[in-house]
Amino acid sequence: MKLTVVGCSGSFPSAESACSSYLVEADGFRLLLDMGNGALGELQRHCGLYDLDAIFLSHLHADHCIDMCAYFVARYYRHDGGRCAPLPVYGPEGTEHRLTTAYGDTPSASSMSEVFDFHTVKPSTFEIGPFTVHTERVAHPVEAYAIRVEHDGRSLVYSGDTGVSPALDELARDADLFLCEAAFTHGKESIPDLHLNGREAGEIAARAQARRLVLTHIPPWTDPQINLADARAVYDGPVELAAPGTTYEL
């Protein structure tokens, strides 16, 4: 299993990175986790525009899904080779309506579903291509999910956006790589059920005995080195900051 960081900025794109988007590959299958602002352009550095096999949207805030509107254009209006077949898209209830509303001027109310095959995510275990995935509801102002992706005995856990959540502790148990948001700074922001800080991400990784921690979704106004130091203070395993273009072999 291969993970590529397409974008990792939180809230809005930075000068260095698009917003959240992560490409997971195995056995020739390409699963994209989130498609936030700027991600579609960056994705084309790592994958052909029409080579994705499925998309998972952790939640429907713009910095995790808004480039789906641009991707709709690429798939719906493609002339060379004809319109794309519907691509499986897994997201919270109301994903199709949300994207149609965000686009604002689709040819019809059902146009999104002509190129995207929408599946509603709930806490469950199911298959996406060669992957076994487990999803759990996490603590965020809107319906949001963390996901565990397993293949050939290896595991990747992506937190999506969340505050402290017992469900995330369990989902990340013994994960080979824990890709965890750390949008807040310890001692600065403290808003329950919204985001984690670096220390909290490290504490979850420690409790879950995850084998590797990668901090992501750090907004441009936050000093990532503080969050990195805070995570290292409470977690003994390897920890680093996500960076666009970085790949991990699991």
Side-chain angles (χ1 to χ4, degrees), residues 22-59:
Y22 312 92
L23 182 63
V24 185
E25 301 173 81
D27 297 345
F29 191 96
R30 297 180 175 92
L31 168 65
L32 191 71
L33 309 179
D34 285 343
M35 191 185 280
N37 318 41
L40 184 60
E42 289 300 312
L43 177 65
Q44 293 171 74
R45 299 179 186 273
H46 311 288
C47 173
L49 192 58
Y50 304 107
D51 291 340
L52 289 178
D53 296 293
I55 297 172
F56 169 84
L57 300 176
S58 64
H59 65 292

Side-chain angles (χ1 to χ4, degrees), residues 26 29-30 42 73 76 82 110 123-124 134 137 167 178 183 187 189 219-220 233 237:
F29 191 96
R30 297 180 175 92
E42 289 300 312
V73 173
Y76 190 89
S110 61
S124 59
H134 309 266
R137 181 83 180 260
F178 182 28
E189 302 107 335

Side-chain angles (χ1 to χ4, degrees), residues 27-244:
D27 297 345
F29 191 96
R30 297 180 175 92
L31 168 65
L32 191 71
L33 309 179
D34 285 343
M35 191 185 280
N37 318 41
L40 184 60
E42 289 300 312
L43 177 65
Q44 293 171 74
R45 299 179 186 273
H46 311 288
C47 173
L49 192 58
Y50 304 107
D51 291 340
L52 289 178
D53 296 293
I55 297 172
F56 169 84
L57 300 176
S58 64
H59 65 292
L60 300 178
H61 280 156
D63 59 328
H64 291 258
C65 72
I66 200 62
D67 266 28
M68 291 290 292
C69 291
Y71 198 37
F72 164 78
V73 173
R75 297 185 70 85
Y76 190 89
Y77 293 104
R78 186 180 76 161
H79 294 288
D80 293 341
R83 183 176 295 171
C84 299
L87 178 73
V89 174
Y90 300 82
E93 189 169 356
T95 295
E96 180 180 1
H97 176 72
R98 170 69 164 157
L99 296 179
T100 301
T101 301
Y103 188 87
D105 191 29
T106 53
S108 74
S110 61
S111 294
M112 281 281 174
S113 62
E114 293 180 39
V115 294
F116 298 132
D117 179 18
F118 291 100
H119 299 261
T120 298
V121 172
K122 295 295 181 184
S124 59
T125 299
F126 53 101
E127 307 295 321
I128 301 179
F131 303 112
T132 298
V133 304
H134 309 266
T135 54
E136 289 290 349
R137 181 83 180 260
V138 289
H140 204 53
V142 299
E143 186 177 0
Y145 292 89
I147 185 170
R148 183 182 180 105
V149 182
E150 298 178 342
H151 178 266
D152 197 23
R154 308 292 281 177
S155 57
L156 159 70
V157 173
Y158 169 47
S159 68
D161 279 10
T162 182
V164 175
S165 173
L168 183 57
D169 286 37
E170 289 306 311
L171 198 67
R173 182 74 55 197
D174 297 322
D176 291 293
L177 191 151
F178 182 28
L179 180 64
C180 187
E181 76 118 288
F184 284 168
T185 303
H186 178 61
K188 180 181 177 184
E189 302 107 335
S190 181
I191 304 173
D193 300 335
L194 183 57
H195 289 298
L196 299 168
N197 58 49
R199 184 180 182 88
E200 289 167 334
E203 289 171 341
I204 295 169
R207 289 195 298 268
Q209 297 183 320
R211 295 179 179 87
R212 186 175 197 173
L213 174 61
V214 178
L215 302 179
T216 193
H217 196 270
I218 299 176
W221 54 55
T222 297
D223 184 344
Q225 294 302 321
I226 293 175
N227 290 21
L228 181 62
D230 287 345
R232 285 176 170 164
V234 295
Y235 172 65
D236 292 335
V239 54
E240 61 194 272
L241 298 169

